[in-house]
Amino acid sequence: MNPLISIIIPVYNVEQYLRKCLDSILRQGLRDGEYEVILVSDGSKDGSVAICEEYCQKNPHFRLIQQENQGVSAARNNGIDHAHGKYIVFADADDYLLDNGLNLAFEHFRDRDDIDVIHYYSSYDNWEKNEIDNTIDFDGTGHELIMQGGLPSFCWLCFYSKEFLDKHELRFKKYIVGEDQLFSSSVYIANPRVVSTKARFYRYVIHEGSATTRRSVVHTRRCVDDYLDSYADIMACMKKYGIHEGTDLYDACIRSVNSKKMFGFSRILSAEYTRKQYKAAMQKCRETGFYPVIRTAQGMKHRLTVGVMNSVMRHGWLYKPASFVFNRIVVPYVMPRIRKAL
């Protein structure tokens, strides 16, 4: 008998965090035989594989898949292809889940056969831990949810029907950033039947080794290319599913992706481009539609932020001073304070 839920966890050099993650999975209140845990080691070089093997030996519903280092997208895809569950759930090995979260999120929907996606919520690791409220807060289509709250950013906030993923050929592209937003946005754009519960139990851990905090120049330039490509892929996905200009749904999608452009812009500032390289990057920004950034709110702070982003991308001479301020002041002094305050 196949399990209802396949929990896929990519693993790459995370021995410091892995046990906390896996222990939390064991405390999700799921019934015996109801779930499987697929650990995909992406060429780990530390003690992560030994930890995975230990948990697999002790827990028959744990499985380990090993692959050469290909990145988190390939690891998640490998997990999907080997999953036996009706639903797919993703977790990152350096994060963890509050006790009984998956069970509570799934509780209302066990007997329904019409659901493609079950959505829940996350919080930062240092936020207060509150009792999980699993009240249903949405029941409708993916397009209706986009109209209500925009496109999602993270893949680890949902149960996904494997049948739906396979039917629409939804998998992760091998980008090092942007792959998460592209996958989850593509799922919603494909217009699944979605339900959502207020359950907030996924705990996101920020640390210096996180993909979102790396700032080497080589890595950052690859991030810019991948982010712009993933942005173009979202626009292409909208077109594929008939979401065209002039509709409220199109406008909701555009507002959503525009509100998230600061991440890509910060990578551009950290890339330390030469004049020639910056000109080429800006050409790609124009071709993909990343530039210009449109305003999605009315507040003064937002208007100022959008104005600065567009000015730097429009006037090449502003890039060097903006990059200097961002990398010498914002990154070392402002961002740590922001992360600490989260």
Side-chain angles (χ1 to χ4, degrees):
M1 182 177 179
N2 288 338
L4 273 174
I5 303 166
S6 296
I7 304 169
I8 298 171
I9 305 176
V11 176
Y12 180 72
N13 294 350
V14 285
E15 62 179 353
Q16 180 180 354
Y17 308 95
L18 185 55
R19 290 184 185 278
K20 184 173 184 177
C21 174
L22 300 185
D23 286 341
S24 77
I25 297 296
L26 291 169
R27 297 194 300 269
Q28 289 308 295
L30 299 172
R31 305 166 187 169
D32 288 341
E34 188 173 60
Y35 73 106
E36 64 176 353
V37 180
I38 303 175
L39 305 170
V40 186
S41 175
D42 186 39
S44 293
K45 303 299 183 184
D46 64 356
S48 296
V49 171
I51 295 173
C52 289
E53 291 174 339
E54 174 190 331
Y55 278 77
C56 289
Q57 290 173 2
K58 293 179 179 178
N59 304 282
H61 44 289
F62 277 56
R63 286 193 284 147
L64 173 62
I65 298 172
Q66 298 197 57
Q67 64 180 39
E68 294 182 359
N69 182 247
Q70 302 174 58
V72 67
S73 292
R76 287 175 179 150
N77 289 341
N78 203 349
I80 296 172
D81 293 340
H82 285 85
H84 297 142
K86 179 180 179 180
Y87 289 103
I88 303 292
V89 170
F90 298 105
D92 286 350
D94 49 358
D95 297 332
Y96 65 97
L97 285 65
L98 297 182
D99 292 359
N100 207 36
L102 286 176
N103 178 53
L104 287 172
F106 195 61
E107 184 176 53
H108 296 298
F109 314 113
R110 288 180 183 276
D111 298 325
R112 286 183 57 175
D113 294 323
D114 63 325
I115 298 172
D116 299 311
V117 175
I118 303 171
H119 172 264
Y120 46 89
Y121 294 88
S122 67
S123 56
Y124 288 100
D125 178 37
N126 59 341
W127 284 14
E128 182 181 356
K129 296 178 182 178
N130 298 313
E131 184 177 352
I132 298 172
D133 174 8
N134 68 341
T135 305
I136 298 172
D137 64 354
F138 181 84
D139 190 338
T141 68
H143 288 180
E144 289 170 344
L145 192 54
I146 292 171
M147 292 288 293
Q148 178 176 301
L151 293 167
S153 297
F154 306 109
C155 70
W156 30 256
L157 291 178
C158 295
F159 297 75
Y160 302 93
S161 161
K162 187 173 188 299
E163 181 180 1
F164 186 85
L165 297 183
D166 290 342
K167 175 184 177 181
H168 292 273
E169 299 180 337
L170 292 165
R171 293 296 188 270
F172 291 87
K173 282 206 169 183
K174 293 184 180 180
Y175 298 141
I176 57 175
V177 295
E179 88 294 336
D180 209 354
Q181 181 180 341
L182 171 59
F183 174 85
S184 53
S185 294
S186 297
V187 171
Y188 279 36
I189 289 169
N191 205 26
R193 182 71 185 188
V194 183
V195 293
S196 177
T197 165
K198 292 181 179 179
R200 187 180 299 275
F201 59 90
Y202 191 98
R203 302 288 282 189
Y204 178 55
V205 179
I206 296 180
H207 54 86
E208 289 306 312
S210 299
T212 53
T213 59
R214 293 184 200 139
R215 291 279 166 183
S216 74
V217 171
V218 173
H219 178 83
T220 300
R221 289 178 181 175
R222 167 73 188 279
C223 284
V224 173
D225 286 337
D226 283 4
Y227 187 86
L228 293 177
D229 287 340
S230 68
Y231 178 87
D233 288 338
I234 291 175
M235 302 302 292
C237 186
M238 290 165 55
K239 183 177 180 180
K240 174 183 176 181
Y241 285 96
I243 302 177
H244 299 300
E245 289 186 61
T247 64
D248 291 341
L249 180 59
Y250 179 90
D251 291 342
C253 290
I254 295 300
R255 285 195 302 271
S256 182
V257 293
N258 265 268
S259 69
K260 301 167 185 175
K261 284 182 178 179
M262 175 55 76
F263 176 80
F265 182 68
S266 72
R267 296 292 177 173
I268 291 172
L269 293 179
S270 295
E272 298 184 15
Y273 289 123
T274 64
R275 182 184 295 272
K276 183 178 180 180
Q277 290 169 334
Y278 185 67
K279 184 177 180 179
M282 290 306 99
Q283 180 62 31
K284 187 170 184 177
C285 285
R286 291 179 173 86
E287 290 172 353
T288 59
F290 183 86
Y291 171 84
V293 182
I294 64 171
R295 291 203 304 265
T296 58
Q298 296 301 318
M300 180 60 69
K301 180 180 178 181
H302 177 73
R303 295 175 64 184
L304 180 60
T305 299
V306 171
V308 169
M309 292 169 66
N310 282 330
S311 294
V312 172
M313 288 190 283
R314 183 184 307 117
H315 305 292
W317 61 270
L318 285 174
Y319 175 66
K320 288 296 183 182
S323 178
F324 178 87
V325 170
F326 183 76
N327 292 303
R328 301 298 185 271
I329 299 175
V330 175
V331 171
Y333 300 111
V334 178
M335 292 183 69
R337 289 177 178 269
I338 293 175
R339 287 197 292 268
K340 187 176 181 180
L342 290 174

